[in-house]
Amino acid sequence: SAVISQKPSRDICQRGTSLTIQCQVDSQVTMMFWYRQQPGQSLTLIATANQGSEATYESGFVIDKFPISRPNLTFSTLTVSNMSPEDSSIYLCSVLARDRRTEAFFGQGTRLTVV
Amino acid sequence: RKEVEQDPGPFNVPEGATVAFNCTYSNSASQSFFWYRQDCRKEPKLLMSVYSSGNEDGRFTAQLNRASQYISLLIRDSKLSDSATYLCVVNRPNFNKFYFGSGTKLNVKP
């Protein structure tokens, strides 16, 4: 299994500001993903973080709003830019296990509240 | 149409009851299937994978029906600690994407 450390675990931010969320994995992984889970909803994939190249965004999500970095195989960041209250959500980092690529592991999540 | 659909519940059952959840998926190209468990304010964690032949893990039994494109989870002898939201998840490996259902909430009461 993969152990994922995600920081911060929660934050309260002013609208118009930006927050960067970090995801650190204890082993090298090929696939890293960022999800959003809004209150009472299921997980929605924001983007796939690609090592050494631009992230692949899902429909409805754009790089200007959610810039992602993936400098190596164990680390990624997601920035929520120019925040509004609608961005209040839980943001989750996820990886696929190298030995069992079809199993996904999740970080503890970042609970973001925008006021 | 959503990729994965589940009854949101909640299912309120007494301890010791047997409860079953179903989930349907829309894309026949889906190849891997899972049930994840998510406790309140926690991240999802894998409960079990679902295989074509069906599989059992203690009190939990998962079944897959490819023809009808549905997945089920049966929990026998429910415990208070089973209270959680159960997420049905499908994966299309070629796209390396996981699609999550909205989750079914289970409340096991004493």
Side-chain angles (χ1 to χ4, degrees):
Chain A
S1 65
V3 178
I4 305 170
S5 174
Q6 190 174 334
K7 293 191 290 189
S9 59
R10 59 176 63 234
D11 209 339
I12 300 173
C13 301
Q14 296 289 326
R15 66 178 68 200
T17 63
S18 298
L19 175 71
T20 295
I21 303 167
Q22 298 181 1
C23 178
Q24 178 75 53
V25 190
D26 68 340
S27 58
Q28 291 187 338
V29 293
T30 306
M31 308 298 297
M32 292 183 76
F33 307 90
W34 287 97
Y35 287 86
R36 180 172 74 182
Q37 186 173 29
Q38 295 182 304
Q41 304 294 316
S42 191
L43 283 73
T44 300
L45 180 63
I46 297 171
T48 302
N50 300 310
Q51 193 265 326
S53 64
E54 197 170 280
T56 304
Y57 289 83
E58 296 299 304
S59 175
F61 298 97
V62 295
I63 188 171
D64 289 346
K65 176 66 176 177
F66 297 100
I68 288 171
S69 78
R70 177 93 190 268
N72 56 53
L73 291 176
T74 64
F75 186 76
S76 178
T77 67
L78 168 75
T79 298
V80 187
S81 302
N82 188 25
M83 288 183 283
S84 66
E86 292 72 33
D87 294 320
S88 297
S89 188
I90 299 171
Y91 292 85
L92 291 146
C93 168
S94 175
V95 303
L96 294 186
R98 290 195 80 185
D99 55 345
R100 294 180 62 192
R101 291 193 72 216
T102 57
E103 181 175 346
F105 295 92
F106 291 86
Q108 304 93 324
T110 297
R111 185 175 295 272
L112 171 63
T113 303
V114 183
V115 296
Chain B
R1 186 182 172 189
K2 290 183 180 178
E3 288 274 347
V4 182
E5 301 214 46
Q6 291 181 253
D7 180 345
F11 285 61
N12 299 307
V13 303
E15 270 187 291
T18 295
V19 61
F21 308 139
N22 289 328
C23 157
T24 58
Y25 60 96
S26 62
N27 195 311
S28 59
S30 300
Q31 294 187 20
S32 302
F33 310 89
F34 310 90
W35 284 101
Y36 275 72
R37 171 188 169 134
Q38 187 172 26
D39 292 293
C40 187
R41 296 178 176 267
K42 299 285 190 183
E43 74 276 19
K45 293 186 178 177
L46 179 67
L47 176 66
M48 59 196 302
S49 301
V50 186
Y51 304 119
S52 296
S53 54
N55 48 300
E56 188 173 307
D57 183 3
R59 298 181 293 109
F60 299 85
T61 301
Q63 300 245 321
L64 167 65
N65 185 318
R66 285 189 184 271
S68 301
Q69 295 182 198
Y70 82 78
I71 307 150
S72 65
L73 177 69
L74 182 77
I75 305 175
R76 291 181 298 277
D77 189 22
S78 299
K79 311 291 185 190
L80 295 176
S81 57
D82 293 334
S83 298
T85 296
Y86 291 83
L87 302 171
C88 176
V89 185
V90 305
N91 173 252
R92 281 185 268 163
N94 289 344
F95 298 96
N96 281 311
K97 289 185 182 181
F98 285 75
Y99 297 89
F100 288 79
S102 56
T104 298
K105 188 170 176 58
L106 173 65
N107 296 317
V108 181
K109 301 184 181 299

